[in-house]
Amino acid sequence: MVSARIVLLLLATLLCAGAAVASSWEDHDGHRCARRCEDRPWHQRARCVEQCREEEERERQQQEERGRGDRHEHDRRGEGSSSGDEREQEQEQGRRPYVFDRRSFRRVVRSEQGSVRALRPFHEASKLLRGIRNYRVAVLEANPRSFVVPSHTDAHCIGYVVQGEGVVTTIENGERRSYTIKEGHIFVAPAGAITYLANTDGRKKLVIAKILHTISVPGEFQFFFGPGGRNPESFLSSFSKSIQRAAYKTSSDRLERLFGKRGQDKGVIVRATEEQIRELRHQASSEGGHGPHWPLPPFGESHGPYSLLDQRPSIGNQHGQLYEADARSFRDLADHDVSVSFANITAGSMSAPLFNTRAFKIAYVARGQGNAEIVCPHQQQQSQSQRGGKGRRRSEEEEEEGGSSEEEEAGQGYRTIRARLSQGTVFVVPVGHPFVAVAARDSNLEIVCFELRAEKNEKVFLAGADNVLKKLDRVAKALSFAAKAEEVDEVLGARREKGFLPGPEEESGRREEREREEEERGGRHGGRGEREKEEEEEEEREGRHGGRGQRKQEEEEREGRHGGRGRREEAAETLLRMVTARM
């Protein structure tokens, strides 16, 4: 009985050992442990393999711990490197927080017949622009006789026609309206309104600068194309086939031709025929027709475009003109708290330094060249070595590439951002920041301005006829400027122009011209004095010669008188000799 139990125990032990050995052969570690334990007695092999596997497990855990430590160190270093890159990027963005050249735009729509380019969200460009994170800037360019297919966006659009002419159509509240647009027109397309347009000019591009007020995701907007196919993709094709068939009561084949991959594939901006352009123009000139009712929510009534350049300028002189539109003059702007203006600065002139009390200014350079200066109190001053080293090299590289360059000067608690302006440049002026724009000497500078949060905003001029500093009382002037009030008044009141002034080059040219005229006048007076002096000297010389001649004449006369007296005496002597001889 006892021997039977011993035999059963031995068999169980052998089976366990065999199972352990077999399982150890199933993986690499078990195979190694089995080889290491094969020289052991058969009744010790199971325990040997078990101990071997425990040792292997401990080593594996130690290796994993070391690996996790290495990965943690690598991740920590990587995070440090990443944060360093982010800091460097922020420093680069911080160096140019308010100026964006054409290279800063990204194409969101690309086609053979045109494009739509947009700046990235302002709060991503700089923390200083978080106040306008809900706004984006975009520019549409459409080739002659091209058509932009219908779409809607999740953002309100306020557009200014920079160049060209065309037709824009909106479908809102189930009503379709078509309008002709041309350079200087402002129009509003509310979020959700179906909008499409065409360039009706046969030679010029249609260029429209836009402000997009995002309302879905801050700083993000999307185009939704209903009509379309493969390019642009119609959002209707994303519905299931059964939904499409039920909604449109037609076959899947026909739906595929309209909305699917067999549909339109020429892009968002396509070429139109002359006849199609003529029909669109005729539709717009007939005061807009009524089309099918679209199931759109009420967004308010649209009243068509506003012709800004056909109005009288609010400020105008020989140095520039300013045209302005706000909610009082253009009702469509009332719901968006935005004003639109157009400044035309004469070549060589500049805008008077000013700041806005409430509004952010987003400016788009339509034409011309020049420069702008923005005074910013937020930026930290950079060291002279940084400006003279890496900053100067970066500026030289930008100038070689033809992009906008920027210089920075540190003031006492302020930093002046200088930016070169050219066509397509965008610059932003935050609330309260003084700024000035200067036109190049050989071309006018035309700027389209969108002022956000425009209600109750005031433009405060710092020079010229409306200089706010002139309104300080005498004591404030004397204490603030550490000079006599009369001297302060003389400086602040030197300029009598309003809004636009002679630029630095124009003023220096005038000063040089005045100095040259004064020199010429002085030269003419000096020449006349010299000639008069020469004439006087000549007269004196002639007078002296005349005196000598007079004396000579007197001597000759005396000699003549003496000569006459001698002849008379000689005749008398001859007569006396003749008489004596006769006697």
Side-chain angles (χ1 to χ4, degrees), residues 319 350 462-467 469-470 477 485-498 500-502 507 510-511 514:
H319 302 293
M350 70 179 190
L462 303 171
D466 292 338
N467 186 354
L469 300 178
K470 293 194 299 184
K477 291 176 182 176
E486 292 77 10
E487 182 180 357
V488 175
D489 290 337
E490 182 180 353
V491 174
L492 298 181
R495 285 292 180 200
R496 300 184 181 276
E497 301 92 339
K498 179 180 179 180
F500 298 96
L501 310 174
E507 181 61 25
R510 288 185 176 183
R511 188 181 301 110
R514 286 195 298 268

Side-chain angles (χ1 to χ4, degrees), residues 564-579:
R565 189 168 55 250
R567 286 193 293 272
R568 286 194 298 271
E569 291 175 352
E570 185 178 1
E573 290 177 356
T574 302
L575 181 61
L576 182 59
R577 283 196 299 271
M578 290 175 63
V579 171

Side-chain angles (χ1 to χ4, degrees), residues 89 130 173 191 263 318 341 343 460 524 542 556 560:
Q89 185 176 4
R130 287 174 294 182
N173 292 334
Q318 61 179 334
S341 61
V460 180
R524 286 195 295 270
E542 290 177 355
E556 290 177 352

Side-chain angles (χ1 to χ4, degrees), residues 134-301:
N134 292 332
Y135 294 88
R136 297 285 296 275
V137 175
V139 178
L140 165 70
E141 294 184 359
N143 288 348
R145 287 201 293 270
S146 61
F147 176 77
V148 182
V149 301
S151 67
H152 71 272
T153 67
D154 56 352
H156 301 300
C157 171
I158 301 170
Y160 179 90
V161 182
V162 176
Q163 174 184 295
E165 60 183 31
V167 172
V168 60
T169 301
T170 60
I171 302 175
E172 183 185 6
N173 292 334
E175 188 173 350
R176 185 185 68 210
R177 289 190 175 91
S178 296
Y179 306 96
T180 58
I181 56 174
K182 64 178 182 178
E183 182 176 336
H185 277 189
I186 307 168
F187 66 93
V188 176
I194 304 297
T195 304
Y196 54 95
L197 57 89
N199 181 357
T200 57
D201 194 297
R203 293 176 297 177
K204 287 184 179 180
K205 277 188 175 183
L206 177 63
V207 181
I208 300 176
K210 302 179 179 182
I211 287 291
L212 297 169
H213 183 191
T214 63
I215 58 176
S216 180
V217 179
E220 300 291 338
F221 68 93
Q222 299 293 333
F223 289 101
F224 296 87
F225 297 97
R230 187 170 60 184
N231 182 20
E233 181 181 358
S234 172
F235 60 79
L236 295 173
S237 64
S238 297
F239 289 112
S240 63
K241 297 299 182 182
S242 59
I243 295 294
Q244 294 182 47
R245 288 193 297 268
Y248 296 103
K249 196 180 178 180
T250 189
S251 64
S252 298
D253 184 67
R254 180 175 293 182
L255 291 171
E256 186 69 18
R257 288 199 305 270
L258 289 178
F259 307 128
K261 295 181 179 180
R262 291 158 54 189
Q264 202 268 105
D265 63 349
K266 296 180 181 179
V268 175
I269 306 175
V270 299
R271 180 77 173 179
T273 65
E274 183 65 32
E275 183 180 356
Q276 291 169 332
I277 292 295
R278 188 163 49 249
E279 185 176 349
L280 289 171
R281 190 186 293 115
H282 175 73
Q283 180 70 27
S285 62
S286 62
E287 299 182 354
H290 295 278
H293 292 271
W294 287 74
L296 297 175
F299 292 106
E301 187 177 359

